[in-house]
Amino acid sequence: MTAEVTGEWRGWRAAAEAALYGPGGFYRRPEGPVGHFRTSVHASPLFAGAVARLLCRVDEVLGRPAPLDFVDMAAGRGELATGVLAALPADVAARTRACAVEIADRPQSLDQRIEWLPEPPRRITGLLFANEWLDNVPLEVAEVDPAGVPRLVLVRVDGTERLGEPVAGAEADWLARWWPPGRAAGTRAEIGLPRDEAWAGVVGALERGLAVAVDYAHTARARPPFGTLTGFRQGRETAPLPDGSCDITAHVALDACATAGSLPGTRLLTQRGALRALGVTGARPPLQLASTRPAEYVRALATAGAAAELTATGGLGDFGWLVQPVGIPDVLADAVAD
């Protein structure tokens, strides 16, 4: 009998893996992620436009190769790849090999120029872009017991939890380096080792170009003392039930991922800083435009509002961007870290 039927106790990594990616799992459902939560891709086409400009910068320093790869990790239903192709100059789009990497079936209406793959190509020259992928790579959760010992948290399909064995081996080493939980009972940490390994694996396929991971993130300076594990269902945050009915997500220790895929020129930026360097500023149009060219003013005002949402402090603008160039100079050197 399956764990879902028996109510078996499992670590959060195995439970989330089955709930998200197993048969009938959340990410295999026909409505896709957009049916349950809104990412920067869905917030505004300005995001895809900025990624297209980033791809053009990479293209330029690579010497305009043919093909130029654009790999969209955890592509949802192909929204970002579609938007990037639409925003590229015609000559760049003609050379671009767009690959959407996703476990779900290919959408029937997807642009035929987009390759639909279950895993990234083995050799990439161009831009590898992972928007909100790493936060859905399942991981173990640890909790400190009354004796001050970090133990794995076990969970059943109904969300009931209990403590299991003490954290040991490579997971204990990761905790000690990246997220020491202290000795206060009830303190939690999320063991990001599988994410480090996943990121290092995909970056390893990049022969020349740029790898970017965009996600909810924290660093060693400000780890949340009780973790970030949560769920999303139909646009609302909810308890993270590992039954396939909701998304299960946890913020990413991007500083650990950066070291796992360690490369010269690696940077951690906020989305706000990265998008501003790519021309998404949120600046309002001059008021006098309202009287001289009112239609243009209304369009510019709408664009400014969308840009403001993408770069907002306390919102999407606080997302982390892990930027790792491979064999090229820093194409986001003009991005200010804040």
Side-chain angles (χ1 to χ4, degrees):
M1 298 179 71
T2 66
E4 288 79 6
V5 173
T6 63
E8 175 186 335
W9 293 102
R10 295 180 291 175
W12 264 108
R13 184 179 183 184
E17 183 74 33
L20 296 178
Y21 306 117
F26 177 82
Y27 277 97
R28 296 186 184 274
R29 295 170 61 162
E31 71 272 19
V34 71
H36 296 270
F37 54 86
R38 189 165 174 259
T39 72
S40 297
V41 178
H42 308 121
S44 169
L46 292 177
F47 188 80
V51 176
R53 288 190 289 278
L54 180 59
L55 179 59
C56 287
R57 291 189 183 189
V58 172
D59 180 49
E60 188 69 27
V61 299
L62 286 174
R64 302 180 181 180
L68 169 69
D69 291 321
F70 174 68
V71 179
D72 179 15
M73 290 295 301
R77 295 303 177 265
E79 298 95 338
L80 180 59
T82 299
V84 167
L85 282 178
L88 287 173
D91 64 311
V92 180
R95 289 184 287 105
T96 297
R97 179 178 70 150
C99 301
V101 181
E102 182 56 70
I103 64 163
D105 293 337
R106 179 190 180 96
Q108 292 183 355
S109 61
L110 188 68
D111 190 324
Q112 291 302 311
R113 294 177 295 172
I114 300 172
E115 295 183 38
W116 194 260
L117 304 173
E119 56 186 34
R122 294 184 179 181
R123 302 175 66 180
I124 301 168
T125 299
L127 175 60
L128 171 75
F129 201 88
N131 185 62
E132 295 194 44
W133 168 50
L134 289 173
D135 69 300
N136 287 126
V137 173
L139 42 56
E140 299 290 5
V141 177
E143 182 176 319
V144 178
D145 70 11
V149 177
R151 294 180 176 270
L152 294 177
V153 177
L154 306 182
V155 63
R156 293 196 301 202
V157 73
D158 64 359
T160 305
E161 294 182 337
R162 70 173 175 85
L163 297 187
E165 294 297 315
V167 180
E171 292 173 336
D173 293 341
W174 190 95
L175 273 187
R177 179 177 183 185
W178 293 110
W179 197 339
R183 296 184 61 84
T187 302
R188 284 196 171 204
E190 291 138 7
I191 305 173
L193 181 61
R195 295 169 173 186
D196 297 355
E197 294 171 344
W199 182 245
V202 297
V203 172
L206 188 62
E207 295 189 332
R208 291 183 68 218
L210 185 69
V212 179
V214 181
D215 237 310
Y216 298 97
H218 47 64
T219 63
R221 294 177 299 174
R223 302 283 191 225
F226 299 103
T228 62
L229 189 73
T230 191
F232 284 93
R233 182 189 297 115
Q234 297 179 347
R236 295 180 180 274
E237 190 168 3
T238 186
L241 296 179
D243 61 0
S245 69
C246 66
D247 185 27
I248 298 172
T249 178
H251 293 198
V252 182
L254 275 184
D255 48 350
C257 292
T259 301
S262 183
L263 294 165
T266 295
R267 300 180 70 196
L268 288 176
L269 303 168
T270 62
Q271 176 155 294
R272 181 169 46 256
L275 289 186
R276 284 175 177 170
L278 293 167
V280 180
T281 66
R284 294 172 64 90
L287 188 57
Q288 59 267 30
L289 193 64
S291 56
T292 58
R293 297 194 294 276
E296 182 179 336
Y297 176 78
V298 171
R299 288 193 298 270
L301 197 61
T303 297
E309 180 183 4
L310 289 171
T311 59
T313 300
L316 294 175
D318 291 345
F319 269 50
W321 279 46
L322 168 56
V323 178
Q324 294 193 300
V326 177
I328 65 171
D330 184 359
V331 295
L332 277 171
D334 52 338
V336 177
D338 62 351

Short mmCIF file of all heavy atoms in Angstrom, two decimals, residues 52-91:
data_model
loop_
_atom_site.label_atom_id
_atom_site.label_comp_id
_atom_site.label_asym_id
_atom_site.label_seq_id
_atom_site.Cartn_x
_atom_site.Cartn_y
_atom_site.Cartn_z
N ALA A 52 14.49 39.08 -21.76
CA ALA A 52 14.92 39.14 -23.17
C ALA A 52 16.11 40.08 -23.34
O ALA A 52 17.05 39.78 -24.08
CB ALA A 52 13.75 39.58 -24.05
N ARG A 53 16.07 41.22 -22.65
CA ARG A 53 17.21 42.14 -22.74
C ARG A 53 18.46 41.53 -22.12
O ARG A 53 19.58 41.74 -22.61
CB ARG A 53 16.86 43.48 -22.07
CG ARG A 53 15.86 44.30 -22.87
CD ARG A 53 15.71 45.71 -22.33
NE ARG A 53 15.03 45.75 -21.06
CZ ARG A 53 13.70 45.73 -20.91
NH1 ARG A 53 12.92 45.61 -21.97
NH2 ARG A 53 13.15 45.79 -19.71
N LEU A 54 18.28 40.77 -21.04
CA LEU A 54 19.42 40.07 -20.44
C LEU A 54 19.99 39.05 -21.42
O LEU A 54 21.21 38.93 -21.58
CB LEU A 54 18.98 39.39 -19.15
CG LEU A 54 20.05 38.61 -18.38
CD1 LEU A 54 21.23 39.50 -18.00
CD2 LEU A 54 19.44 37.96 -17.14
N LEU A 55 19.11 38.32 -22.11
CA LEU A 55 19.57 37.36 -23.11
C LEU A 55 20.33 38.06 -24.23
O LEU A 55 21.35 37.54 -24.71
CB LEU A 55 18.38 36.59 -23.67
CG LEU A 55 18.69 35.54 -24.74
CD1 LEU A 55 19.65 34.48 -24.24
CD2 LEU A 55 17.38 34.89 -25.23
N CYS A 56 19.89 39.24 -24.61
CA CYS A 56 20.60 40.00 -25.65
C CYS A 56 21.99 40.42 -25.18
O CYS A 56 22.95 40.43 -25.97
CB CYS A 56 19.78 41.22 -26.06
SG CYS A 56 18.32 40.84 -27.05
N ARG A 57 22.13 40.77 -23.91
CA ARG A 57 23.45 41.11 -23.38
C ARG A 57 24.37 39.88 -23.43
O ARG A 57 25.55 39.99 -23.80
CB ARG A 57 23.33 41.60 -21.94
CG ARG A 57 22.67 42.96 -21.77
CD ARG A 57 22.81 43.43 -20.33
NE ARG A 57 22.13 44.69 -20.09
CZ ARG A 57 22.24 45.40 -18.96
NH1 ARG A 57 23.00 44.95 -17.98
NH2 ARG A 57 21.59 46.55 -18.81
N VAL A 58 23.82 38.73 -23.05
CA VAL A 58 24.61 37.50 -23.10
C VAL A 58 24.98 37.18 -24.54
O VAL A 58 26.13 36.81 -24.83
CB VAL A 58 23.80 36.34 -22.46
CG1 VAL A 58 24.52 35.00 -22.67
CG2 VAL A 58 23.57 36.59 -20.98
N ASP A 59 24.04 37.34 -25.44
CA ASP A 59 24.28 37.09 -26.86
C ASP A 59 25.44 37.94 -27.38
O ASP A 59 26.32 37.46 -28.11
CB ASP A 59 23.00 37.39 -27.64
CG ASP A 59 23.13 37.16 -29.13
OD1 ASP A 59 23.63 36.09 -29.53
OD2 ASP A 59 22.74 38.06 -29.91
N GLU A 60 25.45 39.19 -26.98
CA GLU A 60 26.49 40.12 -27.47
C GLU A 60 27.88 39.68 -27.01
O GLU A 60 28.82 39.63 -27.82
CB GLU A 60 26.18 41.53 -26.96
CG GLU A 60 27.07 42.61 -27.54
CD GLU A 60 26.84 42.86 -29.02
OE1 GLU A 60 25.70 42.61 -29.49
OE2 GLU A 60 27.78 43.31 -29.70
N VAL A 61 28.02 39.35 -25.72
CA VAL A 61 29.36 38.99 -25.23
C VAL A 61 29.79 37.60 -25.71
O VAL A 61 30.98 37.29 -25.74
CB VAL A 61 29.44 39.08 -23.69
CG1 VAL A 61 29.17 40.49 -23.23
CG2 VAL A 61 28.52 38.09 -23.01
N LEU A 62 28.82 36.77 -26.09
CA LEU A 62 29.15 35.46 -26.66
C LEU A 62 29.54 35.54 -28.13
O LEU A 62 29.97 34.53 -28.70
CB LEU A 62 27.97 34.50 -26.51
CG LEU A 62 27.69 33.95 -25.10
CD1 LEU A 62 26.39 33.15 -25.10
CD2 LEU A 62 28.84 33.09 -24.61
N GLY A 63 29.37 36.71 -28.74
CA GLY A 63 29.70 36.84 -30.15
C GLY A 63 28.58 36.41 -31.08
O GLY A 63 28.83 36.01 -32.22
N ARG A 64 27.33 36.46 -30.59
CA ARG A 64 26.14 36.15 -31.37
C ARG A 64 26.18 34.74 -31.97
O ARG A 64 26.20 34.56 -33.19
CB ARG A 64 25.94 37.20 -32.47
CG ARG A 64 25.80 38.61 -31.90
CD ARG A 64 25.61 39.64 -32.97
NE ARG A 64 25.50 40.98 -32.38
CZ ARG A 64 25.33 42.09 -33.06
NH1 ARG A 64 25.26 42.05 -34.40
NH2 ARG A 64 25.23 43.25 -32.45
N PRO A 65 26.17 33.74 -31.11
CA PRO A 65 26.26 32.36 -31.59
C PRO A 65 24.96 31.88 -32.23
O PRO A 65 23.88 32.45 -32.00
CB PRO A 65 26.53 31.56 -30.31
CG PRO A 65 25.86 32.38 -29.24
CD PRO A 65 26.07 33.80 -29.64
N ALA A 66 25.05 30.84 -33.01
CA ALA A 66 23.88 30.17 -33.56
C ALA A 66 24.05 28.67 -33.34
O ALA A 66 24.98 28.07 -33.89
CB ALA A 66 23.73 30.49 -35.05
N PRO A 67 23.24 28.03 -32.49
CA PRO A 67 22.12 28.66 -31.81
C PRO A 67 22.54 29.36 -30.51
O PRO A 67 23.59 29.06 -29.94
CB PRO A 67 21.21 27.49 -31.49
CG PRO A 67 22.16 26.35 -31.28
CD PRO A 67 23.28 26.57 -32.27
N LEU A 68 21.69 30.26 -30.07
CA LEU A 68 21.78 30.90 -28.77
C LEU A 68 20.74 30.24 -27.88
O LEU A 68 19.55 30.27 -28.19
CB LEU A 68 21.50 32.39 -28.90
CG LEU A 68 21.31 33.18 -27.60
CD1 LEU A 68 22.62 33.28 -26.83
CD2 LEU A 68 20.76 34.58 -27.89
N ASP A 69 21.16 29.64 -26.78
CA ASP A 69 20.23 28.89 -25.93
C ASP A 69 19.56 29.80 -24.91
O ASP A 69 20.20 30.64 -24.26
CB ASP A 69 20.97 27.78 -25.18
CG ASP A 69 21.45 26.68 -26.10
OD1 ASP A 69 20.71 26.32 -27.04
OD2 ASP A 69 22.58 26.18 -25.89
N PHE A 70 18.25 29.61 -24.77
CA PHE A 70 17.52 30.16 -23.63
C PHE A 70 16.81 28.99 -22.97
O PHE A 70 15.93 28.35 -23.58
CB PHE A 70 16.51 31.22 -24.03
CG PHE A 70 15.65 31.67 -22.87
CD1 PHE A 70 16.23 32.38 -21.82
CD2 PHE A 70 14.30 31.34 -22.80
CE1 PHE A 70 15.46 32.76 -20.72
CE2 PHE A 70 13.53 31.74 -21.70
CZ PHE A 70 14.10 32.45 -20.67
N VAL A 71 17.21 28.66 -21.74
CA VAL A 71 16.66 27.52 -21.03
C VAL A 71 15.87 28.03 -19.83
O VAL A 71 16.42 28.69 -18.95
CB VAL A 71 17.78 26.56 -20.56
CG1 VAL A 71 17.18 25.38 -19.79
CG2 VAL A 71 18.57 26.06 -21.77
N ASP A 72 14.58 27.73 -19.82
CA ASP A 72 13.67 28.17 -18.77
C ASP A 72 13.37 26.97 -17.87
O ASP A 72 12.62 26.07 -18.22
CB ASP A 72 12.38 28.70 -19.40
CG ASP A 72 11.35 29.15 -18.37
OD1 ASP A 72 11.72 29.32 -17.20
OD2 ASP A 72 10.17 29.33 -18.76
N MET A 73 14.02 26.96 -16.67
CA MET A 73 13.81 25.88 -15.72
C MET A 73 12.47 26.05 -14.99
O MET A 73 12.09 27.16 -14.64
CB MET A 73 14.94 25.89 -14.68
CG MET A 73 16.30 25.47 -15.23
SD MET A 73 16.34 23.75 -15.77
CE MET A 73 15.89 22.88 -14.26
N ALA A 74 11.79 24.92 -14.76
CA ALA A 74 10.48 24.93 -14.10
C ALA A 74 9.56 25.90 -14.82
O ALA A 74 9.08 26.88 -14.27
CB ALA A 74 10.61 25.29 -12.61
N ALA A 75 9.31 25.58 -16.09
CA ALA A 75 8.70 26.53 -17.03
C ALA A 75 7.20 26.71 -16.86
O ALA A 75 6.60 27.51 -17.59
CB ALA A 75 9.00 26.07 -18.46
N GLY A 76 6.58 25.99 -15.94
CA GLY A 76 5.13 26.14 -15.78
C GLY A 76 4.42 25.65 -17.02
O GLY A 76 4.47 24.48 -17.37
N ARG A 77 3.78 26.57 -17.71
CA ARG A 77 3.14 26.24 -18.98
C ARG A 77 3.79 27.00 -20.13
O ARG A 77 3.17 27.25 -21.16
CB ARG A 77 1.63 26.50 -18.90
CG ARG A 77 0.91 25.61 -17.90
CD ARG A 77 1.12 24.12 -18.19
NE ARG A 77 0.48 23.25 -17.20
CZ ARG A 77 1.11 22.74 -16.15
NH1 ARG A 77 2.40 23.02 -15.95
NH2 ARG A 77 0.49 21.95 -15.32
N GLY A 78 5.06 27.38 -19.94
CA GLY A 78 5.83 28.01 -21.00
C GLY A 78 5.62 29.50 -21.14
O GLY A 78 6.01 30.09 -22.15
N GLU A 79 5.09 30.15 -20.09
CA GLU A 79 4.77 31.57 -20.20
C GLU A 79 6.01 32.44 -20.39
O GLU A 79 6.00 33.38 -21.20
CB GLU A 79 3.99 32.03 -18.95
CG GLU A 79 2.65 31.35 -18.74
CD GLU A 79 2.73 30.14 -17.81
OE1 GLU A 79 3.84 29.58 -17.65
OE2 GLU A 79 1.68 29.77 -17.24
N LEU A 80 7.08 32.14 -19.63
CA LEU A 80 8.27 32.98 -19.74
C LEU A 80 8.95 32.80 -21.10
O LEU A 80 9.33 33.78 -21.75
CB LEU A 80 9.26 32.68 -18.61
CG LEU A 80 10.55 33.51 -18.64
CD1 LEU A 80 10.26 35.00 -18.56
CD2 LEU A 80 11.48 33.09 -17.51
N ALA A 81 9.13 31.56 -21.52
CA ALA A 81 9.77 31.31 -22.82
C ALA A 81 8.99 31.97 -23.94
O ALA A 81 9.56 32.56 -24.87
CB ALA A 81 9.90 29.81 -23.06
N THR A 82 7.66 31.91 -23.87
CA THR A 82 6.82 32.55 -24.88
C THR A 82 7.03 34.06 -24.88
O THR A 82 7.19 34.69 -25.94
CB THR A 82 5.34 32.23 -24.62
OG1 THR A 82 5.14 30.81 -24.70
CG2 THR A 82 4.43 32.92 -25.63
N GLY A 83 7.05 34.66 -23.69
CA GLY A 83 7.22 36.10 -23.58
C GLY A 83 8.59 36.57 -24.03
O GLY A 83 8.72 37.62 -24.65
N VAL A 84 9.62 35.79 -23.71
CA VAL A 84 10.98 36.16 -24.12
C VAL A 84 11.10 36.13 -25.64
O VAL A 84 11.64 37.06 -26.25
CB VAL A 84 12.01 35.24 -23.45
CG1 VAL A 84 13.38 35.39 -24.10
CG2 VAL A 84 12.10 35.54 -21.96
N LEU A 85 10.62 35.08 -26.27
CA LEU A 85 10.69 35.01 -27.73
C LEU A 85 9.96 36.18 -28.38
O LEU A 85 10.43 36.76 -29.37
CB LEU A 85 10.09 33.69 -28.23
CG LEU A 85 10.96 32.44 -28.11
CD1 LEU A 85 10.20 31.22 -28.61
CD2 LEU A 85 12.27 32.59 -28.87
N ALA A 86 8.82 36.55 -27.81
CA ALA A 86 8.05 37.66 -28.38
C ALA A 86 8.76 39.00 -28.22
O ALA A 86 8.59 39.90 -29.04
CB ALA A 86 6.68 37.73 -27.70
N ALA A 87 9.58 39.14 -27.17
CA ALA A 87 10.24 40.41 -26.88
C ALA A 87 11.60 40.55 -27.55
O ALA A 87 12.15 41.66 -27.59
CB ALA A 87 10.40 40.57 -25.36
N LEU A 88 12.15 39.48 -28.07
CA LEU A 88 13.48 39.54 -28.68
C LEU A 88 13.45 40.24 -30.04
O LEU A 88 12.48 40.11 -30.79
CB LEU A 88 14.04 38.13 -28.89
CG LEU A 88 14.50 37.35 -27.65
CD1 LEU A 88 14.84 35.92 -28.04
CD2 LEU A 88 15.68 38.04 -26.99
N PRO A 89 14.51 40.96 -30.39
CA PRO A 89 14.64 41.45 -31.76
C PRO A 89 14.60 40.26 -32.73
O PRO A 89 15.04 39.16 -32.40
CB PRO A 89 16.01 42.13 -31.78
CG PRO A 89 16.31 42.44 -30.34
CD PRO A 89 15.66 41.35 -29.53
N ALA A 90 14.10 40.49 -33.92
CA ALA A 90 13.88 39.40 -34.87
C ALA A 90 15.15 38.62 -35.17
O ALA A 90 15.12 37.38 -35.26
CB ALA A 90 13.28 39.96 -36.16
N ASP A 91 16.28 39.33 -35.30
CA ASP A 91 17.52 38.63 -35.65
C ASP A 91 18.00 37.73 -34.51
O ASP A 91 18.56 36.64 -34.75
CB ASP A 91 18.61 39.63 -36.03
CG ASP A 91 19.00 40.54 -34.88
OD1 ASP A 91 18.08 41.10 -34.24
OD2 ASP A 91 20.21 40.69 -34.61
#
